[in-house]
Amino acid sequence: MIAPRKIGLFGGTFDPVHLGHIHLAKLAKEAVGLDEVRFLPCQISPHKPGSSPASCEDRCEMLRLATAEFPWVVVDDFELRESGPSYSYLTAEAMVKKFPNDRLFWMMGGDQWDALPGWKRPEHIAALVEFIVLARGETPVPRAGYRLHIVKGEHPASATEIRRAISNGSVLPGWITPAVARWIAENNIYRSP
Ligand code: ATP
């Protein structure tokens, strides 16, 4: 019998993908022995106040550039192909259907772990997948019925600050890969009009 693969599902806006995301992917892969990490960019509401997000295509392209050197990474546009909001429980269900014989892990930073009870159908998600949470500062508190793997190691990168720096024309913190930085500059993303 073939052993089940371990697949990490990493959802987020990735607007843009930065070294904090890559850091979490590498830590999770090593700590839990993942065979694959699937980055799942979600849809962003164009009505979100104060944001000028990159397009879905732009975010996917930046993800591909940032992860090109890692053969264990897949950029999966599943949620971008769906109409309507991307509920994580629907994504988890679709991934269970796609990989019925594998072990699935939902990866996230500690902030998302804290927010999880407010997601739609969190218990249902917990029945479908295990969780890998990066402790950023405080150690994530386990919850009954949730299979939790904690990985440790912080990274200071912030997508909000990256977008702000580009829009202000100030110096970019070294938080994105050179290929992504070049691509953002060439394509005029995040600049103020
Ligand atoms: P924004 O500033 O736009 O909110 P973000 O990077 O926090 O950006 P997402 O792209 O949605 O937002 O993040 C995807 C996932 O990556 C989330 O689970 C988040 O907790 C995690 N994450 C974000 N920043 C870091 C970081 N510096 N180190 C590790 N994980 C991070």
Side-chain angles (χ1 to χ4, degrees):
M1 206 174 98
I2 304 166
R5 291 189 312 150
K6 293 183 184 173
I7 301 177
L9 307 172
F10 192 9
T13 52
F14 305 114
D15 187 27
V17 59
H18 55 60
L19 296 182
H21 301 132
I22 305 288
H23 172 73
L24 171 49
K26 282 183 179 164
L27 278 179
K29 178 180 178 347
E30 273 158 38
V32 181
L34 299 177
D35 298 290
E36 178 178 297
V37 173
R38 295 183 89 81
F39 282 73
L40 287 148
C42 64
Q43 301 198 26
I44 302 179
S45 163
H47 309 297
K48 209 167 136 190
S51 70
S52 74
S55 69
C56 298
E57 293 76 21
D58 289 344
R59 289 183 291 125
C60 281
E61 184 57 23
M62 290 187 277
L63 274 167
R64 281 190 281 270
L65 288 169
T67 59
E69 66 183 287
F70 307 120
W72 43 274
V73 167
V74 173
V75 178
D76 185 339
D77 65 355
F78 170 79
E79 292 194 358
L80 304 178
R81 283 184 275 113
E82 295 292 290
S83 57
S86 5
Y87 289 117
S88 300
Y89 81 88
L90 293 173
T91 305
E93 282 178 353
M95 294 297 139
V96 169
K97 241 187 216 154
K98 192 174 166 106
F99 305 108
N101 300 317
D102 293 328
R103 249 175 100 180
L104 301 179
F105 299 79
W106 201 279
M107 301 162 48
M108 60 179 70
D111 54 327
Q112 293 299 314
W113 174 252
D114 293 342
L116 186 59
W119 292 14
K120 216 165 179 169
R121 305 191 65 191
E123 272 93 18
H124 180 51
I125 301 174
L128 297 173
V129 300
E130 301 172 48
F131 294 92
I132 301 175
V133 179
L134 177 70
R136 299 167 79 186
E138 280 167 33
T139 305
V141 181
R143 293 189 189 109
Y146 289 61
R147 293 161 289 171
L148 171 64
H149 307 261
I150 297 173
V151 294
K152 293 205 167 140
E154 293 203 47
H155 193 286
S158 152
T160 302
E161 282 188 42
I162 292 165
R163 291 194 303 276
R164 193 175 297 141
I166 296 169
S167 138
N168 295 342
S170 45
V171 180
L172 255 187
W175 289 337
I176 44 179
T177 68
V180 172
R182 210 175 310 121
W183 196 86
I184 288 175
E186 282 167 9
N187 291 277
N188 252 329
I189 316 282
Y190 306 124
R191 290 267 168 78
S192 307

